[in-house]
Amino acid sequence: MASNRTSAARVADLERRLAEAEAARTAAEARLAEVEEARARLERLLGQMRRDTFGSKSEKLDPDQRNLPFEDVEAAAGMLAAASEAAEKALGTRRAPSRPSERNKGHLPEHLPRIERVIEPDSILCPCGCGEMQRVGESRTERLDVIPARFRVLVTIRPKYVCRTCAGAQHAQAPAPEWLVPRGLPTEALVAHSMVGKFGDYLPFYRQADIYRRQGVELDRTMLAEWSGRAAQLLAPVIDAMMAELRRSDRLQMDETTVPVLAPGTGAVRKDWLWVVLRDQRGWGGGDPPIVVFHHSQSRGGKVAQEILKGFAGGTLLVDGHGGYDPLADPKKTAKPWTLAFCWTHWRRRFVKFSSQDTPSPICDEMIARIAQLYAIEKEIRGRDPAARVTVRQKFSKPIVEALRPWLEGCLQDLSSSNELSTHIRYGLKRWDGMTRFLEDGRLEMDTNGVENAIRPIPLTRKNALFAGSTDGAKTWARIASLIGTCRLNGVNPEAYIAATLRKILDQHMQSDIAALMPWNFRE
């Protein structure tokens, strides 16, 4: 009887455990279904956002900004993926990948230090009693780790020596090194870090001060600003030398963007301008290093462009349709007149914007498609020598462009003169010679995308910093942006470059060879 009761208890216990397992399985399956439904919903949302952003409205957002809405959605997708994996693990349905992931294999930079952690099994004794097993291989996994930025204190010690025999009449001590801030706190590396933080990574000084405060270091934003000003003053000859190098070039791009500046004595913010001049020969394999230089001005008028390009040798200038560039091509107004070439992206942007309105436009769709054909050709010849680029353009691009003009003129006859689309068509037809100049010159690009890419950090810094505190502050902004932008174009770490260059200038290196201080000659 006792044995029967024990067996019955065991059966009941097993049934209870089975019921609990079934309940857990049902709950896990329900959770997995919810996760899969949510994942599908997020994928649809993400797909729609990508279509909205990168489709016909792609001209409206900056590439750095257009990714912002994706980040939250993708973070939620990551949470769902983790929840899905946990549910599958609970159900025992998680499948091992058919082959190990190689997403990061070979992509983590070789210069990063490797800290190896070896995980041995609990025992290497063969379960069959054969003794210790032999090592025949290993599995290696690389993950990217980070050590948060931390401060340290550099202590400079200069021992003093005296001659006891001479009763101290003779002594020796190494001279004190030149510092960026006399008797001040910062090293060149700290100042460079702060400068690149604001003018390259869009972190105003007050935000940097908050970050430093979390590590127990009190650095006022006015102090950070003063240090950057001192550094900009020291680096001024380097930036001037960059401008002198730029004057030798006969193929340039130019553009301008707004910068808010606090008007002294009024408390109001006025709209000033940063003008940008770019040399970038990488598209046709030129040997001169890329350079970008920013200039501050309170005006967008043509006299500013003339003043900026004063002393240049002349040549071809690739610009948008802003009328301020017209005097540069006028021999009566400019000593060495420029030949103006115009940007196809600006023209295309007008049709993209018009087609994004409620009323669809077959003309806009056709125009965008034809320009896309030209860009497909440009993609194939990027980096090739000028002669090859001209040959391809003459064979494939020129027929498209030649057919475009009569088609657009025919479209104008079907549109009223007051129609907005007519204005967009006339924008390019009025500048036709400049629009088609790239067909005859392999050293020209189709657009000013290069200079627009160089400008992009300015609006982001402008958004976070709100405004420059003064005209001098705006000029400093322009000069530092020139240095950081040129570093980026040449694939140079601006923080390392500025720190090393400041040290060399303080050590009087610039007096012997300023060319060696140019960003494109820097090696870490």
Side-chain angles (χ1 to χ4, degrees), residues 174-366:
E178 284 288 334
W179 290 350
L180 178 64
V181 181
R183 299 179 299 280
L185 285 175
T187 64
E188 296 77 34
L190 176 58
V191 176
H193 180 74
S194 180
M195 290 174 67
V196 175
K198 174 171 181 177
F199 300 103
D201 298 331
Y202 333 121
L203 278 174
F205 290 134
Y206 77 89
R207 293 188 183 178
Q208 294 185 44
D210 287 341
I211 294 172
Y212 299 155
R213 193 173 294 115
R214 290 201 295 266
Q215 299 194 44
V217 179
E218 291 288 341
L219 295 177
D220 188 80
R221 63 179 182 81
T222 57
M223 188 182 300
L224 298 175
E226 181 190 355
W227 295 347
S228 294
R230 287 176 175 269
Q233 180 63 27
L234 276 182
L235 293 167
V238 177
I239 300 170
D240 292 339
M242 284 170 38
M243 192 63 176
E245 168 69 18
L246 200 60
R247 290 192 180 97
R248 301 190 305 104
S249 308
D250 60 356
R251 297 293 187 278
L252 298 173
Q253 297 183 29
M254 197 168 181
D255 204 351
E256 71 288 330
T257 187
T258 60
V259 55
V261 177
L262 189 63
T266 65
V269 176
R270 67 170 187 259
K271 183 172 71 173
D272 285 7
W273 297 86
L274 287 185
W275 293 73
V276 195
V277 184
L278 171 78
R279 178 182 77 187
D280 190 351
Q281 301 178 353
R282 292 174 295 179
W284 51 271
D288 293 335
I291 301 175
V292 61
V293 176
F294 293 80
H295 299 264
H296 167 259
S297 172
Q298 295 186 26
S299 169
R300 199 191 181 196
K303 290 184 178 180
V304 178
Q306 291 175 276
E307 184 63 28
I308 291 173
L309 296 180
K310 187 176 181 180
F312 280 66
T316 303
L317 189 66
L318 183 57
V319 296
D320 58 23
H322 173 44
Y325 298 111
D326 293 343
L328 296 173
D330 189 345
K332 298 179 181 179
K333 297 180 180 180
T334 303
K336 296 180 179 179
W338 291 80
T339 300
L340 298 183
F342 294 107
C343 171
W344 281 79
T345 294
H346 282 79
W347 196 15
R348 174 185 179 274
R349 192 170 293 156
R350 288 170 167 263
F351 294 98
V352 171
K353 184 177 180 180
F354 187 87
S355 66
S356 66
Q357 300 173 4
D358 294 337
T359 304
S361 170
I363 295 177
C364 289
D365 294 341
E366 180 66 20

Side-chain angles (χ1 to χ4, degrees), residues 10-64:
R10 288 178 179 176
V11 170
D13 184 57
L14 289 174
E15 290 177 345
R16 179 180 58 80
R17 290 183 182 181
L18 181 60
E20 291 175 353
E22 286 296 329
R25 181 183 180 86
T26 301
E29 288 177 342
R31 175 57 180 160
L32 182 59
E34 293 175 0
V35 167
E36 290 301 326
E37 182 182 354
R39 189 210 298 273
R41 186 167 60 252
L42 276 174
E43 287 178 350
R44 290 194 300 271
L45 176 61
L46 192 58
Q48 183 61 46
M49 291 175 69
R50 285 195 173 116
R51 284 191 296 273
D52 292 344
T53 303
F54 296 109
S56 62
K57 299 179 181 179
S58 62
E59 300 286 354
K60 289 189 173 183
L61 293 178
D62 181 280
D64 292 316

Side-chain angles (χ1 to χ4, degrees), residues 461-501:
T461 304
R462 179 177 66 208
K463 179 180 179 181
N464 290 336
L466 299 182
F467 52 80
S470 65
T471 299
D472 289 339
K475 291 180 178 178
T476 300
W477 185 348
R479 296 183 76 80
I480 297 176
S482 301
L483 211 56
I484 294 176
T486 301
C487 284
R488 285 175 164 168
L489 288 174
N490 288 276
V492 170
N493 180 347
E495 191 170 324
Y497 166 78
I498 292 175
T501 304

